[in-house]
Amino acid sequence: MICEEPDFAFPMLADVYHPIVEQGAYGNVKKTWVLDRTIACSFTPAGTAFKEEVTPNVNITQDKILIGRVKSDIRISSLEDRNSITNVIITNIKDKNCNEIYTETVGPRAGKSTIFEIATHEPFIGPFGNAEYYKLIIRRSENQASDI
C-alpha cells in the first residue's frame, strides 16, 4: 500500500479501494473491495449553498457531492492494474489532523466513514503539457452497506 504525503495543495488523506470481481455460477457479479492505497487530496462540498442535502420524497435520499483534486490517477492501482471509474471508491476522508470528515450516523455503516463513488475524473494539464493533478467529482454511494 502506498501512502502519499499531504502538503499545502493536498491537505487531506483518503483511502482508495479497487475491487476483486468474481462471477458466480448463475452469472451474478460479486465485488470484493480491497484497500489499494492512501492518497493526498483536497475536497470541498459542491454547490450546497443553493441545494438541499436531504430531498423529501417517498424515499428520503441524501445527496452529498464533493469536488476536489488528487495528485495521481486513482484509476490505476498500485499494482498498475487499470480500472474504470465505476471500479473505484473513496472513503476515510480525513483532514490534516487525521480526523474523519464524512461519517454515517445511521444504517449499516453507522459510526463509519462514508463511501463515495467517482462521478467525474479529469486530468488538469499544466502549461508544459503534463498532468499536474486530477480533478474529481465524487458522490455519496447509495450502497453504504459494503464491507470495507
Side-chain angles (χ1 to χ4, degrees), residues 53-54 60-62 102-115 140-146:
E53 183 175 312
V54 176
I60 296 176
T61 57
Q62 179 182 10
Y102 301 101
T103 56
E104 294 295 303
T105 55
V106 296
R109 288 189 63 82
K112 295 181 182 176
S113 186
T114 302
I115 298 172
R140 180 184 176 274
S141 175
E142 286 296 319
N143 182 10
Q144 292 292 317
S146 295

Side-chain angles (χ1 to χ4, degrees), residues 4 6 28 41 49 56-57 69 135 147:
E4 297 176 351
N28 55 326
C41 57
N57 56 22
R69 58 186 177 187
K135 299 184 287 185
D147 293 328

Side-chain angles (χ1 to χ4, degrees), residues 36-54:
D36 182 58
R37 65 184 183 270
T38 300
I39 57 168
C41 57
S42 176
F43 287 107
T44 187
T48 57
F50 302 105
K51 184 179 178 192
E52 296 178 12
E53 183 175 312
V54 176

Side-chain angles (χ1 to χ4, degrees), residues 63-104:
D63 291 331
K64 177 67 72 179
I65 298 175
L66 304 175
I67 57 173
R69 58 186 177 187
V70 296
K71 290 181 178 183
S72 58
D73 189 347
I74 61 173
R75 298 172 303 167
I76 301 172
S77 75
S78 57
L79 300 174
E80 299 296 323
D81 293 331
R82 299 182 182 276
N83 294 283
S84 66
I85 61 172
T86 57
N87 280 341
V88 179
I89 58 174
I90 294 177
T91 189
N92 299 328
I93 299 174
K94 298 177 183 174
D95 64 13
K96 67 179 182 176
N97 297 320
C98 291
N99 299 315
E100 286 188 5
I101 300 173
Y102 301 101
T103 56
E104 294 295 303

